[in-house]
Amino acid sequence: MGSQALVYSTAVAVTFGLQTIGFVVAYLLKTETFYDIFGGTNYVLLAMLSAILGAGDEALPWADDPRKILPTVLFVCSRGWLLLFLAWRAHERKGDSRFDEVLGKNGRNAPRPLSFFVYWMVQGLWVVLVSMPMLFVNSSNLRKPDLSAYDIFCAVSFGSGVLIEVVADFQKAMWVKRHPNYFGEIFQWWCLFAFSYSSSENPTGGYADPLWWAGIISPLFTMQILLAMQPTGICNAEGKSLKRYYDKCPERYAAYRENTSILIPFIGYGHVPKFLKRTIFFDFDSRAYP
């Protein structure tokens, strides 16, 4: 348990320390340009720290344990890509309208440093919670290097989620193709949570391990942020935000939206009954353009 406590406490301290530094620098410079870049860097840093600190005296060295190497490498690939993509997007956009009000850029109010600080802390919370299954795997002292069929399936699924997100980000860079990048983001964390089950030190299995169950916060929190919270995720990209597309080509975009899933990659979406679109496919009435 000692190594688990060390890994988790170090992850929390490093994350919120880095986010605080980012806030101070960003507020002094009155810029949000590198907000997302700090988040991406934080993920990669936690992966490296947990790999270094995780192995206790009873565990295999990290470099000799494929159960730890595989998810950590996939995690770094996922977050490394995120870091590169967000750095490119920050360079292209040269700003983020989400922060105009709290930084006083809209000319209607004074800067609100406390609100800006909350943005940075929420990002830090997101980093820690999403990373929990990976921290659980790397902090495990379980000596079980051979991967089972279940482990391989979860790892392949995790890698598929990463690939879906990468492809979707390329699509969005060229043209908005709905939100399969969000699907990939959500799917990969469910897969990593499932993979981490086999790393439980509980002799009766992961289902009896509270720390493993705590890792379910990773995919659930990601879903909450991307699917239900303003001013980010689908809430920020749908509804009134579709105005620029309907103004430019209303008939074509209306047909495109009718035949394209809002979240889950799906062929033949135009033939799906509306009540299913409004429920299990997350295409709620609130997502529609007024």
Side-chain angles (χ1 to χ4, degrees):
M1 184 63 184
S3 64
Q4 287 183 324
L6 177 63
V7 169
Y8 280 82
S9 60
T10 301
V12 171
V14 168
T15 295
F16 288 101
L18 185 62
Q19 293 298 116
T20 301
I21 293 171
F23 157 73
V24 171
V25 175
Y27 188 74
L28 290 176
L29 297 176
K30 294 296 186 291
T31 181
E32 74 290 345
T33 304
F34 48 82
Y35 172 80
D36 287 326
I37 297 174
F38 259 70
T41 301
N42 214 329
Y43 281 114
V44 177
L45 186 58
L46 292 195
M48 293 189 296
L49 286 174
S50 63
I52 294 171
L53 300 175
D57 294 336
E58 300 176 6
L60 290 171
W62 183 89
D64 296 332
D65 193 340
R67 183 177 302 282
K68 295 181 179 180
I69 294 173
L70 186 56
T72 306
V73 169
L74 288 172
F75 184 91
V76 170
C77 288
S78 169
R79 301 302 85 183
W81 163 254
L82 177 69
L83 177 58
L84 291 174
F85 181 76
L86 294 179
W88 170 82
R89 191 177 70 175
H91 174 74
E92 289 294 308
R93 291 183 176 180
K94 296 180 174 61
D96 190 329
S97 59
R98 292 177 299 173
F99 299 94
D100 287 351
E101 186 173 348
V102 296
L103 287 176
K105 290 185 177 183
N106 57 10
R108 297 193 299 269
N109 56 272
R112 303 205 307 266
L114 181 58
S115 297
F116 192 44
F117 178 73
V118 170
Y119 271 103
W120 284 87
M121 294 303 102
V122 169
Q123 179 171 249
L125 180 65
W126 190 352
V127 170
V128 171
L129 295 183
V130 167
S131 302
M132 284 181 68
M134 185 269 301
L135 299 176
F136 182 79
V137 171
N138 277 343
S139 64
S140 174
N141 286 317
L142 189 69
R143 297 180 68 91
K144 187 180 176 183
D146 296 330
L147 297 174
S148 66
Y150 170 83
D151 297 329
I152 295 172
F153 173 78
C154 291
V156 170
S157 299
F158 181 21
S160 299
V162 176
L163 183 60
I164 290 171
E165 184 172 22
V166 171
V167 172
D169 283 335
F170 270 115
Q171 288 183 326
K172 287 193 73 175
M174 295 182 291
W175 174 248
V176 178
K177 298 288 187 181
R178 315 304 289 166
H179 307 291
N181 59 332
Y182 294 161
F183 173 81
E185 179 78 8
I186 293 167
F187 181 65
Q188 63 184 287
W189 303 130
W190 277 112
C191 294
L192 182 56
F193 168 66
F195 180 93
S196 67
Y197 177 88
S198 299
S199 293
S200 174
E201 299 177 32
N202 194 302
T204 59
Y207 66 87
D209 190 331
L211 193 56
W212 175 74
W213 277 110
I216 202 173
I217 296 175
S218 171
L220 291 179
F221 188 74
T222 300
M223 291 180 69
Q224 173 68 16
I225 291 289
L226 295 182
L227 302 183
M229 290 187 66
Q230 291 278 13
T232 188
I234 287 181
C235 293
N236 188 53
E238 296 295 320
K240 295 179 180 179
S241 298
L242 297 174
K243 183 178 186 299
R244 61 191 185 276
Y245 304 117
Y246 279 96
D247 286 349
K248 186 176 181 180
C249 46
E251 294 182 0
R252 288 177 57 198
Y253 195 81
Y256 162 74
R257 196 187 189 288
E258 183 67 22
N259 290 280
T260 308
S261 173
I262 194 174
L263 176 68
I264 303 169
F266 190 87
I267 296 174
Y269 186 71
H271 301 291
V272 174
K274 190 171 184 178
F275 79 92
L276 291 179
K277 291 181 178 181
R278 294 294 185 259
T279 53
I280 64 174
F281 285 94
F282 297 94
D283 201 348
F284 307 129
D285 287 328
S286 60
R287 310 288 192 241
Y289 181 67

